[in-house]
Every structure is written in structure tokens, then in C-alpha cells.
Amino acid sequence: MQREPADPVDVIIEQWARVRPDLDTRAMEVFGRIFRLSRAMGDRMEQAYKPYGISRGEFDVLATLRRSGEPYTLSPRELSATLMLTTGGMTGRLDKLERAGLLHRSPDPHDRRGLRVTLTEEGLRLIDEAVTAGLAQESTALSALDAEEAGHLAGLLRKLLDATAD
């Protein structure tokens, strides 16, 4: 059986095997590749969103509003919970996106102390274009696998993610 070409993780595993042959490095093989893949895809996604003048974090805010359906409105608290961000981190993103005309904040008609965040028409147009560009990057990377492999990998990653959920 022919061995797969070595990647940087294989090199690390071989180094550990030489100096600590007692270690079971299977987890390192999996998670080392997941970490490297995440970093590489994160960089590709930043490049995909750059022509739209947004970062990955800003994309996440706009995409969350878009996925919420019409009228594309959520509270800052709902956005923070979905994106696992502090309210301070969310405020900075909302400020930038509002200045760019991609969303607007308005008083919550049901809570005098609350706000509602809504996509503008420009924000809706931009996020629809940006999500298409991002999916193209992901699809290009995923084309290294056939449909069955991609489905199997998605299932395995779901299982791992479930096992690590708090």
C-alpha cells in the first residue's frame, strides 16, 4: 500500500516518534490538521471578503442578520449570543458596519432600553455577494474530496464537535 505524501503534521509526528516513542499521537495527527486547515481557510476567507470591504468577523454579523430572515433584524444581545462575542466586541463591529451603511440600529419598540439591528438594502446586497464568494473558496478547497468523502468527513467532524461541546 502506497503511503500518502508527507505533510507538515507528518513531520511533527515523526519527530515525536523519534524522541518519545511512548506517545500515542493520533489526536495530534487529527487536531494538528484541523488547526492548520482552519488557519488556511480563515486566510482564504479573509481574501474572499476583502473586495467587499469586510472582515470575517463583520461577515459573520451580516450573515447572521441575513440568515434570520426578513426583516433581517436582531437585537445586539441575540447577535452576541449567536456569534459568541462579548457585547463590547459586538459594539465595535456594529459601529463599523453602521458607518459603512450596511446596517442600522434603532430603538426596540418593545423595550425602551433595547436596540434592534437591521440590514440595509446595501448590506443585504453585499452579504449576498460575499457569501457566494466565500462558498466558492470553500467549494474549491473541498473539491479535493469526492461527494461521499465530503459527506463522511462532515459526519465525523460533527461527531467530534459534539464530543467537545460544553
Side-chain angles (χ1 to χ4, degrees):
M1 184 167 139
Q2 187 174 355
R3 185 173 171 196
E4 293 290 320
D7 66 13
V9 175
D10 287 326
V11 172
I12 292 167
I13 298 304
E14 288 169 7
Q15 290 169 336
W16 278 116
R18 277 196 311 276
V19 299
R20 288 286 311 272
D22 58 305
L23 293 176
D24 179 355
T25 56
R26 283 180 293 184
M28 191 182 294
E29 290 182 63
V30 171
F31 292 104
R33 288 184 176 95
I34 289 172
F35 293 144
R36 286 169 181 267
L37 179 60
S38 178
R39 188 173 359 151
M41 288 308 298
D43 292 346
R44 284 187 182 192
M45 300 312 283
E46 282 289 350
Q47 291 305 308
Y49 302 143
K50 192 174 188 177
Y52 303 97
I54 58 174
S55 67
R56 281 178 31 205
E58 292 153 359
F59 170 89
D60 289 343
V61 171
L62 297 173
T64 300
L65 288 166
R66 177 65 169 105
R67 290 190 319 266
S68 73
E70 288 191 53
Y72 314 116
T73 301
L74 295 169
S75 71
R77 177 168 284 137
E78 290 168 321
L79 282 166
S80 293
T82 300
L83 299 174
M84 296 181 292
L85 271 178
T86 65
T87 53
M90 180 58 66
T91 299
R93 288 183 189 177
L94 294 178
D95 287 346
K96 181 177 180 202
L97 292 167
E98 189 169 39
R99 281 192 305 272
L102 302 175
L103 57 79
H104 67 85
R105 289 178 272 199
S106 58
D108 186 330
H110 306 293
D111 179 357
R112 290 184 312 165
R113 296 171 297 158
L115 290 175
R116 302 299 289 171
V117 179
T118 304
L119 274 179
T120 62
E121 284 187 34
E122 176 62 13
L124 181 61
R125 183 198 63 74
L126 184 136
I127 192 57
D128 281 348
E129 290 180 18
V131 73
T132 300
L135 279 170
Q137 283 294 323
E138 292 171 339
S139 295
T140 297
L142 196 60
S143 70
L145 306 178
D146 64 33
E148 184 178 338
E149 290 170 326
H152 187 66
L153 178 59
L156 291 172
L157 290 171
R158 181 183 302 108
K159 190 174 182 177
L160 271 176
L161 190 58
D162 186 52
T164 62
D166 291 333

